[in-house]
Amino acid sequence: MNTPRLIDGKAAAARVLIEVRKDVERLRAQDIQPALAVILVGSDPASQVYVRNKILRAEEVGIRSLEHRLGTDTSTEQLLDLIARLNADGSIHGILLQLPLPAQVDELRALQAIVPGKDVDGFHSENVGGLSQGRTVLAPCTPSGCLYLLEQTCGDLRGKHAVVIGRSNIVGKPMAALLLKADCSVTVLHSRSPDPQALCRQADIVIAAVGRPRLIDASWLKPGAVVIDVGINRIDDAGRSRLVGDVDFDSALPQVAAITPVPGGVGPMTIAFLMKNTVTAALMQQHSLSEAVCHSIS
Ligand code: GUN
């Protein structure tokens, strides 16, 4: 077998961001400044890091970012008030509500309150439904990033058997929908699947998104499979804290054609696609605005 390839998410994200920057410049030339509002409720340490990185990346590509921090004791109504203001603000193109939310906040109501055209996470049921119908909508960022890496690595995905491990609303389910849209045969495995290893060993493509450190080793993988590891798990390794994926990288490497490392694989792609979605949202709002003007003139 050929030497396994490391899939470089940092380099791929940099390529996506170059295109995003060009789109930002085109919009600015038309006096449109793309803007992303990021809402952080509470003080979850990992969420604070994610939000900081999103805001830094936005600034780098010329997207205006506005951070809204709400206290841990925020009520659903208070959050809905803020979302309503951001929905109504024509200078804001994207709204991102960082998850998880404190237990007292109704997550579903909050996500449904974001207008679908500003829903840069693709979590509103209008966008979720559109994706499962195969329509072009704002799609969740992490699975969009995984699909981009797969297209770059495998070329044509049609007819490939993809196994998605994990069925979360953020990654597993939208990943399956995107792979179906790309004409893959898709199997979704979860905690109740009997003999998941045997099913996974049939896959040409494996997407691991379960949040269980190093669960998937060589015994799960067909020789020559392409593996995308979405997991980011902090473990204690002989007294030192470090990040590992859902895949046991050292065990998997000799078995695969290509694999993403953790960190440096999927992580940078999530933020790159958030920027891409923000620009797409700005373009969509510009188009619907110009269509509305045309209608009012005609
Ligand atoms: N928390 C973990 N991943 C995500 C994500 O992709 N979007 C949001 N909004 N919150 C998250």
Side-chain angles (χ1 to χ4, degrees):
M1 202 164 69
N2 292 335
T3 316
R5 248 188 76 193
L6 269 192
I7 303 173
D8 186 345
K10 267 195 199 166
R15 288 197 296 277
V16 172
L17 290 170
I18 286 172
E19 294 308 311
V20 169
R21 181 178 264 289
K22 286 183 194 159
D23 285 338
V24 169
E25 278 159 16
R26 268 182 228 120
L27 281 160
R28 278 179 163 177
Q30 299 168 55
D31 279 337
I32 297 163
Q33 169 57 63
L36 171 68
V38 180
I39 307 172
L40 177 59
V41 188
S43 55
D44 178 68
S47 292
Q48 292 188 17
V49 174
Y50 291 140
V51 164
R52 191 174 343 115
N53 288 339
K54 287 170 186 177
I55 284 173
L56 283 174
R57 200 63 78 235
E59 280 165 12
E60 276 169 26
V61 294
I63 292 174
R64 184 168 75 105
S65 60
L66 298 97
E67 189 179 344
H68 294 269
R69 281 180 180 249
L70 301 180
T72 308
D73 56 356
T74 300
S75 67
T76 303
E77 298 307 326
Q78 286 169 323
L79 178 57
L80 292 178
D81 274 353
L82 171 61
I83 292 172
R85 274 189 276 129
L86 296 170
N87 282 340
D89 184 339
S91 71
I92 301 287
H93 303 97
I95 302 171
L96 179 129
L97 176 58
Q98 185 65 31
L99 303 177
L101 297 170
Q104 79 280 4
V105 180
D106 186 335
E107 178 181 303
L108 187 61
R109 264 184 86 195
L111 292 175
Q112 287 296 100
I114 298 172
V115 287
K118 296 190 181 187
D119 170 32
V120 284
D121 256 326
F123 293 162
H124 190 285
S125 61
E126 166 73 23
N127 288 324
V128 174
L131 178 61
S132 78
Q133 289 174 327
R135 285 194 276 131
T136 302
V137 291
L138 291 170
C141 305
T142 300
S144 299
C146 294
L147 186 72
Y148 181 94
L149 293 178
L150 284 171
E151 284 170 343
Q152 298 275 306
T153 307
C154 309
D156 193 356
L157 298 179
R158 278 178 296 178
K160 296 244 189 302
H161 182 200
V163 165
V164 180
I165 311 168
R167 55 174 159 176
S168 70
N169 290 335
I170 295 183
V171 184
K173 287 181 202 155
M175 187 73 249
L178 284 168
L179 290 164
L180 270 178
K181 198 163 174 253
D183 292 329
C184 289
S185 307
V186 182
T187 303
V188 181
L189 303 179
H190 50 77
S191 52
R192 300 299 164 108
S193 303
D195 204 356
Q197 282 105 319
L199 289 166
C200 191
R201 267 197 306 272
Q202 297 173 21
D204 306 310
I205 292 168
V206 175
I207 290 107
V210 264
R212 300 262 306 273
R214 295 188 289 209
L215 173 72
I216 291 121
D217 63 15
S219 71
W220 290 62
L221 302 170
K222 175 166 91 174
V226 172
V227 178
I228 305 288
D229 189 354
V230 182
I232 303 179
N233 309 291
R234 189 162 285 285
I235 60 153
D236 182 71
D237 189 8
R240 282 181 54 198
S241 159
R242 71 180 184 106
L243 293 179
V244 296
D246 292 348
V247 178
D248 184 340
F249 184 85
D250 294 339
S251 162
L253 190 63
Q255 184 90 337
V256 300
I259 185 169
T260 55
V262 175
V266 173
M269 298 303 288
T270 298
I271 299 194
F273 272 80
L274 174 63
M275 301 306 131
K276 190 169 162 59
N277 276 356
T278 304
V279 166
T280 303
L283 286 164
M284 289 187 327
Q285 284 155 49
Q286 178 206 22
H287 284 149
S288 58
L289 214 63
S290 52
E291 267 174 31
V293 172
C294 290
H295 280 304
S296 67
I297 293 169
S298 62

